[in-house]
Amino acid sequence: MDFKKRSSFSYKDLLECAHGRLFGPGNAQLPLPPMLMFDRITHIAETGGANGKGEVEAELDIKPDLWFFPCHFEGDPVMPGCLGMDALWQLLGFTLGWLGGPGSGRALSVGEVKFSGQILPTATKVRYHLDLKRVISRKLFLGIADGWVDCDGERVFEAKDIRVGLFANPAAALA
């Protein structure tokens, strides 16, 4: 499969990535459900976006029985903000694999995070968006992007300077 020519990916494709079969052994991999935080990638491109260096969008269908609602918080369910951040890291790691970067992905940092809303079990759809700022291909393959999260058309989350690296040896990411 020539994944580079594709501009969208289904849930089935995302599961192939989670099992390490989309980009090949030892390369970028998404987490398996329930930690996989989107249901599809609706758009991915090497050009466009706020910086002209590429953009990617994904969606999550909200269902009231999603695993995090009953435990965060009992009697007052809300999607944890850290899961929105994780979704953006996942999406950036996927993008680096799609760009042909070698190695396993690891979230490295985020510069700034701003919450301006919440995702409740009554919502229907969450949309994630990344604008690539820079991709560095040296000793490690590094992506830097800004991103945002919308819930039913309302901005609920923004993050600046999101960083993900691809490492030939995942243990090296911890050193």
Side-chain angles (χ1 to χ4, degrees):
M1 170 192 329
D2 188 3
F3 55 81
K4 273 289 270 183
K5 292 183 180 176
R6 300 195 42 204
S7 61
S8 64
F9 292 85
S10 68
Y11 187 70
K12 181 181 175 190
D13 297 326
L14 301 181
L15 291 179
E16 286 296 300
C17 183
H19 288 294
R21 295 188 287 256
L22 188 62
F23 303 127
N27 290 320
Q29 209 171 325
L30 288 167
L32 287 165
M35 280 306 298
L36 177 59
M37 294 309 303
F38 38 91
D39 295 321
R40 67 199 145 271
I41 294 175
T42 57
H43 175 71
I44 187 168
E46 286 186 76
T47 58
N51 307 301
K53 297 183 179 193
E55 64 183 342
V56 58
E57 289 196 352
E59 295 176 341
L60 172 68
D61 296 323
I62 297 295
K63 300 169 216 72
D65 63 347
L66 284 169
W67 66 272
F68 45 80
F69 285 132
C71 58
H72 190 270
F73 298 98
E74 187 174 21
D76 183 21
V78 63
M79 180 176 168
C82 61
L83 294 181
M85 188 64 240
D86 201 66
L88 294 174
W89 276 319
Q90 290 176 23
L91 200 53
L92 184 52
F94 181 94
T95 303
L96 294 178
W98 179 80
L99 288 169
S104 298
R106 294 294 185 268
L108 297 176
S109 65
V110 61
E112 180 183 325
V113 176
K114 178 185 173 190
F115 296 101
S116 55
Q118 54 188 348
I119 301 169
L120 302 173
T122 54
T124 57
K125 188 175 289 177
V126 172
R127 192 167 61 125
Y128 305 102
H129 179 92
L130 288 177
D131 289 308
L132 295 176
K133 294 170 79 172
R134 193 164 179 207
V135 175
I136 301 167
S137 179
R138 292 190 191 126
K139 189 175 178 181
L140 84 118
F141 205 83
L142 174 74
I144 305 169
D146 291 339
W148 48 258
V149 179
D150 278 2
C151 178
D152 293 339
E154 179 184 328
R155 185 75 36 97
V156 295
F157 182 100
E158 293 179 45
K160 304 278 186 207
D161 295 322
I162 303 161
R163 294 173 187 254
V164 170
L166 298 182
F167 297 84
N169 175 0
L174 305 174

